[in-house]
Amino acid sequence: QVQLQQWGAGLLKSSETLSLTCAVYGGSFSDYYWSWIRQPPGKGLEWIGEINHSGSTNYNPSLKSRVTISVDTSKNQFSLKLSSVTAADTAVYYCARGVPTVTSMYLNYWGQGILVTVSS
Amino acid sequence: SSELTQDPAVSVALGQTVRITCQGDSLRSYYPSWYQQRPGQAPVLVLYGRNKRPSGIPDRFSGSSSGSTASLTITGAQAEDEADYYCNSRDNSGNHYVFGAGTQVTVL
């Protein structure tokens, strides 16, 4: 059974850097893309970006200047850093496993989510 | 605004059929995936590809696509189907991914 377990700081101040890590238990690590998604309180889902086992990344253009996603294949973990946060970055952050295909991509396993609150 | 458009909310009587739509130009080339999210929970994949359901998802969930519109249909809606539903696919550039704004389904 595949499980994604995520952790990181839940309370930040404006201008600080958000840092979250997601550990993958079970299944192959190298066969998938590993994604971050966020959801502001009461709002919809927003795709942040993804990385594969070799470190190839793909970011949401609206966040690209502030986002870094990295991978540690020795630990089957991947991480998210979002710099210069503001209150608009307050959200539940999810990690997820992405399965890319020629005609689609789907996220079939998700972490439990972490609420990150940015205060001024 | 999202490049994938969903109706904000729909309602369905218990046991009846409801269709949730997702519109976007990228859907002419790519299949969407669909996610169910109950309050306070992480999203769950319910459909992907050309009408494929993950293990454990009831067969009352089905999908279809025509042109720039994809649909998720719940046939015989149950009380536990009350949730928010999101579509996801590539953006219009084809290089990134985007979610629709979500549809809140109420089972009456």
Side-chain angles (χ1 to χ4, degrees):
Chain A
Q1 177 72 326
V2 176
Q3 291 187 336
L4 279 68
Q5 185 173 353
Q6 51 186 117
W7 65 89
L11 182 60
L12 298 172
K13 296 181 179 179
S14 292
S15 80
E16 293 184 334
T17 295
L18 179 156
S19 182
L20 300 175
T21 298
C22 183
V24 180
Y25 300 100
S28 168
F29 190 78
S30 60
D31 291 341
Y32 302 98
Y33 272 76
W34 302 95
S35 297
W36 289 98
I37 301 98
R38 70 179 183 179
Q39 184 172 37
K43 297 187 178 181
L45 301 170
E46 180 180 30
W47 178 77
I48 298 171
E50 64 181 1
I51 192 168
N52 68 5
H53 72 284
S54 63
S56 177
T57 55
N58 183 14
Y59 298 138
N60 184 326
S62 69
L63 298 170
K64 185 175 182 178
S65 64
R66 298 193 293 131
V67 170
T68 301
I69 298 177
S70 59
V71 66
D72 185 342
T73 55
S74 68
K75 297 180 179 179
N76 283 7
Q77 295 177 0
F78 61 109
S79 299
L80 168 70
K81 291 189 184 297
L82 181 67
S83 64
S84 305
V85 297
T86 69
D89 295 310
T90 294
V92 175
Y93 286 76
Y94 295 100
C95 59
R97 188 179 85 170
V99 184
T101 71
V102 173
T103 55
S104 69
M105 184 278 288
Y106 54 96
L107 301 162
N108 60 353
Y109 289 96
W110 293 64
Q112 78 276 20
I114 293 179
L115 174 61
V116 177
T117 303
V118 180
S119 67
S120 55
Chain B
S1 63
S2 176
E3 296 182 12
L4 297 178
T5 301
Q6 296 184 243
D7 291 330
V10 296
S11 61
V12 57
L14 185 67
Q16 297 303 302
T17 297
V18 62
R19 176 175 293 178
I20 306 161
T21 60
C22 177
Q23 291 186 297
D25 287 341
S26 66
L27 299 180
R28 297 182 183 278
S29 303
Y30 301 102
Y31 290 114
S33 51
W34 292 92
Y35 303 87
Q36 175 193 70
Q37 187 180 34
R38 298 188 176 109
Q41 297 185 16
V44 173
L45 176 70
V46 294
L47 279 177
Y48 65 97
R50 187 176 181 182
N51 194 24
K52 297 181 180 179
R53 284 177 288 107
S55 174
I57 301 301
D59 60 5
R60 63 178 178 270
F61 290 89
S62 63
S64 62
S65 290
S66 178
S68 63
T69 301
S71 300
L72 165 66
T73 300
I74 308 174
T75 303
Q78 302 299 303
E80 61 264 32
D81 300 333
E82 188 163 286
D84 293 329
Y85 291 83
Y86 295 91
C87 61
N88 173 265
S89 189
R90 292 181 183 267
D91 65 6
N92 289 340
S93 75
N95 296 321
H96 312 291
Y97 297 99
V98 64
F99 285 92
T103 298
Q104 183 179 57
V105 172
T106 300
V107 180
L108 303 172

